[in-house]
Amino acid sequence: MHDTDVIVIGSGFGGAVTACRLAEAGYRVLILERGRRWQVQEYPSQTQKDWLWDHEHPERENGWIDLRVFPHNSINPRMAVVAGSAVGGGSLIYANISVDAKPDVFASGWPAEITFDELKPFYHRVGKMLDLQQVPKNQWPERTRLMQEAAEKIGFGDRFRQLDLAVSFDEDWHYGLDDPFDSRHSKTFTNRQGQQQGTCVHLGYCDIGCPVKAKNTLDLNYIPRAEKHGAEVRALHLVRWIERQEDGYRVHFERIANRRRESGQVSARIVIVAAGTMGTNELLLRCRDDFKSLPRLSRTLGTGWSSNGDFLTPAFHRRIVDPTRGPTITSAIDFLGENNLDGEHFFIEDGGFPDVIRAYVEGKRSANNLVATNLYAGLRRLLDHGDADTEHDALDHAMPWFSQGRDAANGTLSLSRKWTLFGPLELDLDWDVRASLGVFEAISRMHTRLAEATEGNPLAALPWMLTKALVTPHPLGGCRPSNSVREGVVKHSGEVHNYRNLYVADGAVVPKA
């Protein structure tokens, strides 16, 4: 007799959606989530602490962001990967955007059963559940206007579009209100799942915890709906390995309590691994190569990893951009699918950052930190055209030009020892950037064109110039879907080859950017 019908490992998009629909169907569902169940008063935006997750000692530090940095050599650049660690997974740290994949994405690399037409009704269903909205026209941040103007000036005005955001807006709010960013202007309401939320007042805290709960995160929709249908969520439960049993699986975990880790286990007929791309790959690699509890996992496990082509170019404009106000991302200039540019597919976005970053840099400057002081002096020189606005802070002029592109998806995740012969097995990433240089360089050129067309000074990112180092919050792949265990890890349904009733349901199954 099993403890429950289904164990879902992780509560991000894959885990939350799957748990919700299975609970609705009458299954007994248990969600094991390594992160906390965050309350508004605990958000880093409010406390300015508890930022990071510590893989070695999560009992000491189990914060908001999981940041992994993989070393580099001449072929493999340094890659930093950002993920969420919370009930609600990456939905708490992402920039609210919901974008349907283009139909041509499915032309190759996917099993024949997975097509755009097959997925389209589910895109719509998710959009309805997340209550997707666009920033009302009367609330456009300056960044949005800058994006539209830049696109028009270089002849791509038809590629500009607003993005659907999982954010609740109030049509009556506007920048002309008295102290418009005061939380008192946020209108409270009860959402369809009975959760209390507020409307957006453009605080710019999307990635570090929205204090008015305008962001429609998974802990406010899919997860409470799952709980209404009997699902149980256990936070601060770190799954270590999965053991096959005759009629199901036993999941071994460590529970964080009182700054200690306590071992435990639970069994179910069905297990769904949805720990995020990095977490899912590491867990399955450990089951195959470390604990050897799932030895028949495909030898392709960990291959086909993608950074989703994430790239950033900061620029400083003569006008006030005010990047700390408004949703983190609001719009795009689309060069995907049929809109591709010279065969390179990418998606340009406006970018914002929260006030706490400004406060940190200003604090360093006031403390006579040499780097921060010189940075500010350099920014002032960039802006000093004789007529540039000098009453505002230099960072008010900053525009982080974001982008994602279709990279080569040729990375490999594996377990290795730092010192070759001894030490613990750790997750490692082998990623040859050379096959993706075309798309990154195309993005960089476009960022430069857009910035210069709107009187901006683009700054080539030094880490990219010197070492081709990058950061991605959108890792994908490692558990490629296929028709055989020789070619991939899972079937088109997400069920793992050779292991009935074991599934993967997250970004790890996405075989390309």
Side-chain angles (χ1 to χ4, degrees):
M1 181 70 178
H2 291 298
D3 300 307
T4 189
D5 296 328
V6 184
I7 298 170
V8 179
I9 301 169
S11 62
F13 286 100
V17 173
T18 307
C20 173
R21 299 311 181 196
L22 287 172
E24 286 178 325
Y27 289 82
R28 294 179 301 154
V29 177
L30 171 63
I31 302 171
L32 299 178
E33 166 57 51
R34 65 172 179 167
R36 308 180 194 177
R37 192 158 201 161
W38 293 82
Q39 304 300 321
V40 169
Q41 64 272 19
E42 300 170 337
Y43 288 164
S45 63
Q46 304 304 292
T47 65
Q48 296 192 28
K49 63 179 185 179
D50 295 335
W51 292 103
L52 296 177
W53 176 273
D54 184 342
H55 279 273
E56 291 188 8
H57 296 286
E59 71 281 5
R60 299 179 194 168
E61 195 170 8
N62 43 72
W64 188 258
I65 295 171
D66 176 1
L67 174 65
R68 299 190 189 209
V69 180
F70 296 94
H72 72 284
N73 54 42
S74 59
I75 295 176
N76 303 297
R78 188 177 298 276
M79 172 65 74
V81 182
V82 180
S85 52
V87 173
S91 75
L92 272 73
I93 70 166
Y94 87 134
N96 318 305
I97 303 163
S98 185
V99 180
D100 296 356
K102 299 282 188 179
D104 70 298
V105 166
F106 304 99
S108 64
W110 291 86
E113 295 87 348
I114 301 177
T115 65
F116 177 81
D117 289 338
E118 181 73 20
L119 294 178
K120 189 173 181 179
F122 300 102
Y123 285 139
H124 175 74
R125 191 178 188 188
V126 170
K128 185 175 180 181
M129 192 74 171
L130 295 179
D131 195 16
L132 299 180
Q133 304 174 34
Q134 295 181 350
V135 181
K137 186 81 173 183
N138 68 322
Q139 298 178 20
W140 275 22
E142 185 58 32
R143 287 181 284 116
T144 315
R145 303 180 197 283
L146 180 62
M147 280 277 287
Q148 185 178 43
E149 179 185 330
E152 290 173 349
K153 283 188 171 179
I154 67 169
F156 290 112
D158 60 328
R159 309 286 182 92
F160 169 85
R161 64 184 175 97
Q162 285 188 260
L163 293 174
D164 292 330
L165 308 179
V167 176
S168 296
F169 294 100
D170 168 24
E171 293 279 354
D172 295 330
W173 184 92
H174 57 86
Y175 281 86
L177 293 171
D178 176 46
D179 195 7
F181 313 115
D182 191 293
S183 295
R184 75 177 187 276
H185 293 300
S186 177
K187 293 182 180 178
T188 58
F189 66 97
T190 301
N191 71 16
R192 290 193 295 267
Q193 310 312 324
Q195 304 298 301
Q196 292 294 309
Q197 291 191 243
T199 55
C200 179
V201 290
H202 291 229
L203 295 171
Y205 290 158
C206 302
D207 297 341
I208 59 174
C210 178
V212 298
K213 297 176 77 172
K215 184 173 178 175
N216 305 331
T217 49
L218 296 170
D219 58 324
L220 298 174
N221 38 67
Y222 278 101
I223 291 172
R225 185 175 180 88
E227 290 176 313
K228 278 185 182 178
H229 288 83
E232 179 188 355
V233 179
R234 295 185 190 174
L236 295 172
H237 278 62
L238 291 72
V239 172
R240 292 309 190 192
W241 55 294
I242 303 167
E243 177 186 9
R244 181 78 169 103
Q245 295 184 315
E246 184 177 345
D247 59 345
Y249 299 88
R250 183 165 297 277
V251 175
H252 298 259
F253 59 80
E254 291 178 336
R255 181 173 73 94
I256 295 175
N258 302 317
R259 294 180 64 83
R260 292 185 356 217
R261 283 184 274 176
E262 303 169 351
S263 297
Q265 53 185 268
V266 65
S267 67
R269 183 173 65 86
I270 301 169
V271 169
I272 297 167
V273 185
T277 294
M278 307 305 284
T280 289
N281 277 283
E282 181 173 9
L283 175 59
L284 294 179
L285 284 165
R286 290 194 182 280
C287 289
R288 189 190 69 185
D289 301 339
D290 190 3
F291 294 101
K292 304 188 187 305
S293 58
L294 301 175
R296 298 176 63 206
L297 287 171
S298 172
R299 303 317 296 177
T300 70
L301 175 62
T303 63
W305 184 89
S306 166
S307 73
N308 207 39
D310 283 299
F311 198 87
L312 164 68
T313 302
F316 290 86
H317 291 254
R318 295 172 68 179
R319 71 180 71 182
I320 297 299
V321 180
D322 210 3
T324 64
R325 295 305 182 190
T328 301
I329 295 173
T330 67
S331 61
I333 305 169
D334 188 348
F335 294 97
L336 294 173
E338 295 179 355
N339 287 338
N340 75 87
L341 196 64
D342 299 326
E344 298 294 350
H345 299 255
F346 53 91
F347 202 65
I348 307 291
E349 296 164 329
D350 63 303
F353 55 83
D355 263 337
V356 294
I357 294 178
R358 179 204 305 275
Y360 176 80
V361 176
E362 288 179 343
K364 291 293 185 184
R365 183 173 56 145
S366 64
N368 293 319
N369 179 282
L370 185 62
V371 173
T373 301
N374 287 340
L375 172 64
Y376 260 69
L379 298 183
R380 293 310 311 160
R381 284 194 295 273
L382 279 172
L383 298 168
D384 188 13
H385 297 283
D387 58 349
D389 188 323
T390 57
E391 295 182 2
H392 287 77
D393 191 280
L395 288 180
D396 289 332
H397 296 261
M399 172 66 163
W401 293 91
F402 285 170
S403 195
Q404 292 84 46
R406 293 190 191 164
D407 66 10
N410 62 338
T412 299
L413 293 167
S414 61
L415 299 179
S416 65
R417 303 184 196 277
K418 256 184 195 175
W419 309 108
T420 306
L421 297 178
F422 58 92
L425 286 169
E426 297 181 5
L427 189 66
D428 192 19
L429 172 63
D430 180 18
W431 182 64
D432 186 346
V433 71
R434 293 174 298 184
S436 301
L437 285 178
V439 70
F440 289 126
E441 290 172 354
I443 290 170
S444 182
R445 288 193 298 271
M446 182 55 66
H447 282 168
T448 297
R449 287 182 65 186
L450 292 165
E452 291 180 344
T454 48
E455 298 184 286
N457 287 292
L459 302 180
L462 282 178
W464 171 252
M465 286 180 60
L466 298 176
T467 66
K468 297 296 183 279
L470 292 167
V471 179
T472 179
H474 306 122
L476 299 171
C479 295
R480 181 187 299 120
S482 71
N483 293 322
S484 77
V485 71
R486 293 184 301 278
E487 298 173 347
V489 178
V490 300
K491 304 172 186 177
H492 78 274
S493 63
E495 187 176 44
V496 176
H497 288 297
N498 291 334
Y499 291 97
R500 189 166 185 269
N501 289 330
L502 176 65
Y503 291 84
V504 176
D506 60 19
V509 303
V510 179
K512 56 200 295 188

